Amino acid sequence: MSLRGGQPLLRRAGYLVIPAVFAISMMAAPAAMAQVQPSDGFASSTQGLVADDAALAGAFASPAPISGAAGESSGHYGYHSHDWSSHLTFEGGGGANAPIGNDQPFITWGGNFTVGAGYKFTDRISALIEYQFMDNKLPGGLIADAKAEGGHAHIWSFTVAPVIDLFPKRKNSVYVTGGGGFYRKVTSFTDPEEVEECYYFCGIGYENVVVSHFSSNQGGLNVGLGFTHKLGSASTGGDDRLKLYAEARYLWINTPGLNSTDGLGTTGLIPVTIGLRF
């Protein structure tokens, strides 16, 4: 197999892989003046003036900040702040997909890559807009029926996914998620084709070329369960927003039926994804 022909395998393998603290200074000049020892005949009057000035300055000096308020103003980076940007949340991960039920004759195992961004309304509830790309193989029987030697199904989507964290204060938590949106599925059949390849030297190699394909655009739904582990701790000055997550979802896509020219019936998959969320 040529290096170029092995690129799909390498691509599938690739899937499986924070405010500054401000200090408030106190007025030190009056205190320093109070410590000056006079050296002339005006000592007593000078001391009196200095004492009066120090008392006056003390009356108008800013009160020392309360530790609780200072903690709130400096705070830890995250949704503890009232700044809207601290409520933004992001995720990224990858994993594998498994077919289920009656879909196994039409699609098989593959990999996925997922990224998302959204808004954290409370410690417990957030919502993300997710983009996911899935690269799945086709079963040998389906490839043979198409009189081809290879094939794959590419599915990409834009969906809205609410997330409910069941134990948001704990270091380890469980969440439920689910949603839906737009899915596009492209099923392609390929044959190897001779090509001239030049790396350190030139020669004849083989590259898989799409000889036929069909595509469809449709809606889909997903629901799943996940686990999170906080990688930092606010109590020790770390960022408690960064989490490792692992989840599994049931995905249903309303692909056109088998008698249509652009579908093989509804598509059901279980994507398992591992990544980071913050």
Side-chain angles (χ1 to χ4, degrees):
M1 179 181 294
S2 67
L3 292 176
R4 190 176 302 176
Q7 287 178 353
L9 293 177
L10 294 175
R11 185 175 64 251
R12 291 191 180 98
Y15 297 134
L16 303 175
V17 158
I18 187 224
V21 177
F22 293 94
I24 302 175
S25 61
M26 301 299 293
M27 297 177 62
M33 291 175 62
Q35 295 176 2
V36 175
Q37 298 297 325
S39 59
D40 53 26
F42 299 97
S44 59
S45 59
T46 303
Q47 290 176 350
L49 290 174
V50 170
D52 291 341
D53 289 343
L56 183 61
F60 289 96
S62 299
I66 302 174
S67 59
E72 292 177 357
S73 62
S74 61
H76 298 289
Y77 177 78
Y79 48 85
H80 306 288
S81 168
H82 295 291
D83 183 5
W84 68 269
S85 63
S86 67
H87 289 260
L88 298 180
T89 182
F90 304 91
E91 69 176 7
N97 318 310
I100 58 174
N102 297 328
D103 302 298
Q104 293 183 8
F106 309 113
I107 196 169
T108 184
W109 288 79
N112 73 70
F113 173 75
T114 306
V115 293
Y119 192 82
K120 194 172 187 68
F121 298 98
T122 68
D123 287 353
R124 191 179 299 272
I125 301 174
S126 59
L128 295 95
I129 298 176
E130 297 180 322
Y131 168 80
Q132 185 174 65
F133 175 78
M134 292 180 282
D135 177 15
N136 286 65
K137 297 179 180 180
L138 297 180
L142 182 62
I143 294 174
D145 289 344
K147 297 179 172 57
E149 295 191 27
H152 57 258
H154 289 168
I155 304 172
W156 61 267
S157 63
F158 280 104
T159 59
V160 177
V163 179
I164 301 176
D165 194 335
L166 301 182
F167 311 103
K169 301 300 184 182
R170 298 184 181 179
K171 190 174 185 66
N172 299 308
S173 182
V174 175
Y175 65 90
V176 293
T177 185
F182 171 81
Y183 289 82
R184 176 171 174 81
K185 178 180 179 182
V186 181
T187 302
S188 304
F189 297 94
T190 64
D191 281 339
E193 182 180 279
E194 285 189 0
V195 295
E196 183 178 4
E197 297 180 332
C198 293
Y199 297 99
Y200 297 104
F201 57 89
C202 293
I204 300 300
Y206 292 88
E207 180 179 0
N208 288 326
V209 177
V210 175
V211 294
S212 66
H213 79 280
F214 52 86
S215 62
S216 61
N217 301 317
Q218 59 276 313
L221 299 171
N222 67 81
V223 61
L225 186 69
F227 168 84
T228 61
H229 172 74
K230 294 181 180 180
L231 299 178
S233 174
S235 61
T236 59
D239 184 359
D240 64 351
R241 295 185 63 197
L242 183 61
K243 304 175 183 178
L244 175 69
Y245 79 91
E247 67 175 32
R249 301 191 192 189
Y250 166 71
L251 170 62
W252 176 83
I253 308 173
N254 189 29
T255 311
L258 184 58
N259 296 327
S260 302
T261 59
D262 57 357
L264 294 172
T266 59
T267 301
L269 294 168
I270 298 181
V272 177
T273 308
I274 299 174
L276 296 176
R277 181 174 292 158
F278 61 94

